[in-house]
Amino acid sequence: MSVAFVKEESAETAAETLLPDRPVSPHPNLVTEAGLEALKRQLEEAREAYGAASAIEDVNERRRQAAGPLRDLRYFTERVRTAQVMPEPTTSEVVAFGSTVTFSREDGRVQTYRIVGEDEADPRAGTISYVSPVARQLMGKRVGDVVSVAEQALELVAIS
C-alpha cells in the first residue's frame, strides 16, 4: 500500500502542535473572590474546549485543535491551585489589595482603578495588577500622598 493512502503521525506533525506553556508569574497569585471565580470559569472553558477537540477523529487535526486548550488547561489548573484569595480591605484609610484608588496626574487627568490580581487586571475595565508600577507605588499610601511613577507625580485623591 502506498504511504500516500495511510494516515501516519509524524514527529514533525506532533512537534508542530505542541505549544509552549503560558508564562506563570513569579509573584504570589493573589486574587479577589471574583478573580478566583473567573479563573475557575476559564479552567472549565479550557476543559470543554479540550474535550471537544479530543473528539475529532483525524489525529493530526485533533492535535492541532487541542493544542491551545491543553496549554490553557495547564495554565489555569496551576493558577487555580496557587490562588490565594485576599480579604476585602478593612479600611479606606490606606491603599491595600482590593482597594479602589483615584489619583490625579500632573497633566490634570484623574484616573480610578481597583487593585486586583494579575490574571484579573484589565486597565480598560478599571482594574490594575497589584504588581503594576502604579499599584506598587500606591500600596500603603493615604489620601493626599504623592508618588512618582515613570517620572510623573501621582496624587492620591480617594480610596474606597
Side-chain angles (χ1 to χ4, degrees):
M1 179 182 285
S2 169
V3 95
F5 297 107
V6 179
K7 284 187 181 178
E8 290 189 17
E9 299 176 41
S10 69
E12 279 181 24
T13 302
E16 288 172 0
T17 59
L18 294 177
L19 297 175
D21 283 339
R22 291 174 64 171
V24 174
S25 172
H27 302 285
N29 186 14
L30 307 182
V31 297
T32 63
E33 278 289 340
L36 178 58
E37 291 309 310
L39 285 172
K40 288 177 179 178
R41 266 192 319 279
Q42 291 169 305
L43 176 58
E44 187 54 36
E45 290 169 7
R47 279 190 183 120
E48 290 171 7
Y50 181 71
S54 295
I56 297 172
E57 286 191 33
D58 179 85
V59 69
N60 292 326
E61 185 61 20
R62 179 172 59 236
R63 280 191 173 149
R64 270 189 290 284
Q65 294 295 321
L70 184 57
R71 175 178 62 178
D72 288 348
L73 263 173
R74 290 189 305 264
Y75 178 81
F76 289 117
T77 297
E78 180 64 12
R79 295 305 277 175
V80 168
R81 185 187 71 75
T82 61
Q84 299 173 38
V85 177
M86 298 298 291
E88 289 292 318
T90 57
T91 179
S92 59
E93 298 291 318
V94 176
V95 176
F97 185 96
S99 293
T100 298
V101 296
T102 301
F103 54 87
S104 62
R105 295 180 174 270
E106 292 173 340
D107 62 8
R109 287 185 295 156
V110 175
Q111 296 177 293
T112 301
Y113 294 103
R114 181 166 186 232
I115 299 173
V116 296
E118 292 177 277
D119 290 311
E120 55 190 313
D122 181 358
R124 284 177 273 160
T127 57
I128 58 174
S129 167
Y130 80 100
V131 297
S132 69
V134 170
R136 286 179 144 186
Q137 289 298 314
L138 291 174
M139 294 293 249
K141 301 296 189 261
R142 297 175 180 276
V143 171
D145 287 350
V146 177
V147 299
S148 178
V149 177
E151 299 180 22
Q152 189 173 118
L154 309 177
E155 181 181 356
L156 187 56
V157 295
I159 305 168
S160 57

